[in-house]
Amino acid sequence: MIYEHTDLLKADFGSEEWLVDGILSAHDRMLLVARYKAGKSIWGQQLAHCVAGHYEFLTFQVPEQKVVLYIAGEGELDEWQIRARAMHRVFPVVEKKLFLWPLPKWRLNTERGAAALIETAEEVKKEAGEYPALTVFDPVYALFKGSLRDDEAVNEFTHTLNVYQHETNSALVVLHHERRPMRTNTGELSEDTSHEAFLGSALWLAGCRTLFLMKVEGRSKDRVWHPTDIVRRNI
């Protein structure tokens, strides 16, 4: 479909609603970056359950219950079941609001993977009566063919996300790893807290509206996220 200029000016694409107040908008494309084993998947699962179940997310309000699709690129099914049961005890979700697509057969920056993504959204729509309002991709490297530093491959992945979002009007959250910390001249590790802290091509920023850098302090068993850990950065 094409838009003549004056038609584009008059078109009504809907207001920018919030899925999570001040954090995630209805048409967002978020890149969440954190180090290895920082808890990105738990963060993503909690976000999915809060949006699908209409619960406050880390003190931020969720205005309305929405359909969510969670795409898991790694992990065994029994592991995801254990996680889902644990999360459900805290944030129970009714039927046909939260869907898991485990271990897609095709990488999403391939023609077949892009088609499978749309097919999965159609399957969700058939079950729930609507497309997912939120889709979580966890993690990007497991859903990606080739090097994360390859501009052409990253462009293909971004194109897949663009087409998917255009077709479904879903907000997108992509979980990604930060690059390894560099050592200073004194031998100490120096973490990159800039907007370029992610692993791979700089074009990852081109495919998102907002970037979140998640930093966790303390041992994993003591891990707690606070609102101050999450800062919305418009790209």
Side-chain angles (χ1 to χ4, degrees), residues 17-31:
E17 304 174 46
W18 290 100
L19 297 183
V20 181
D21 282 348
I23 295 294
L24 181 66
S25 68
H27 305 109
D28 230 335
R29 280 176 288 177
M30 177 201 295
L31 185 68

Side-chain angles (χ1 to χ4, degrees), residues 49-81:
H49 274 253
C50 289
V51 173
H54 195 200
Y55 299 103
E56 186 180 88
F57 177 66
L58 301 178
T59 77
F60 296 95
Q61 295 299 313
V62 173
E64 190 178 348
Q65 186 178 38
K66 296 289 186 179
V67 175
V68 178
L69 171 62
Y70 200 102
I71 304 173
E74 60 184 2
E76 300 298 329
L77 265 178
D78 61 337
E79 179 184 359
W80 279 104
Q81 183 184 60

Side-chain angles (χ1 to χ4, degrees), residues 1 26 29 34 45 55 82 89 144 182 193-194 215 230:
M1 181 177 182
R29 280 176 288 177
Q45 272 192 291
Y55 299 103
I82 291 170
R89 285 195 292 269
F144 187 89
M182 305 295 290
T193 58
S194 73
K215 299 297 180 182
I230 305 170

Side-chain angles (χ1 to χ4, degrees), residues 74 101 112 189 211:
E74 60 184 2
W101 182 20
R112 188 64 189 90
L189 289 177
L211 170 67

Side-chain angles (χ1 to χ4, degrees), residues 51-190:
V51 173
H54 195 200
Y55 299 103
E56 186 180 88
F57 177 66
L58 301 178
T59 77
F60 296 95
Q61 295 299 313
V62 173
E64 190 178 348
Q65 186 178 38
K66 296 289 186 179
V67 175
V68 178
L69 171 62
Y70 200 102
I71 304 173
E74 60 184 2
E76 300 298 329
L77 265 178
D78 61 337
E79 179 184 359
W80 279 104
Q81 183 184 60
I82 291 170
R83 290 183 180 184
R85 286 174 173 172
M87 195 67 68
H88 187 78
R89 285 195 292 269
V90 182
F91 303 109
V93 178
V94 299
E95 290 185 357
K96 301 187 186 303
K97 286 297 182 182
L98 179 57
F99 296 83
L100 175 70
W101 182 20
L103 303 177
K105 185 176 181 180
W106 298 278
R107 302 300 172 96
L108 300 185
N109 58 326
T110 65
E111 184 176 349
R112 188 64 189 90
L117 179 60
I118 298 295
E119 290 166 7
T120 302
E122 293 290 348
E123 187 177 349
V124 171
K125 184 179 180 182
K126 183 178 179 180
E127 288 287 324
E130 59 187 281
Y131 286 123
L134 168 63
T135 305
V136 181
F137 300 81
D138 177 24
V140 65
Y141 82 85
L143 301 167
F144 187 89
K145 181 178 181 180
S147 170
L148 295 170
R149 296 179 174 85
D150 184 342
D151 288 351
E152 184 175 351
V154 174
N155 266 331
E156 286 297 325
F157 192 89
T158 300
H159 178 69
T160 295
L161 297 188
N162 289 342
V163 171
Y164 174 78
Q165 190 169 45
H166 179 75
E167 292 290 329
T168 65
N169 208 29
S170 176
L172 312 180
V173 172
V174 179
L175 306 187
H176 192 22
H177 289 82
E178 70 179 25
R179 62 187 181 192
R180 293 179 179 177
M182 305 295 290
R183 289 195 178 274
T184 65
N185 293 334
T186 61
E188 297 179 347
L189 289 177
S190 174

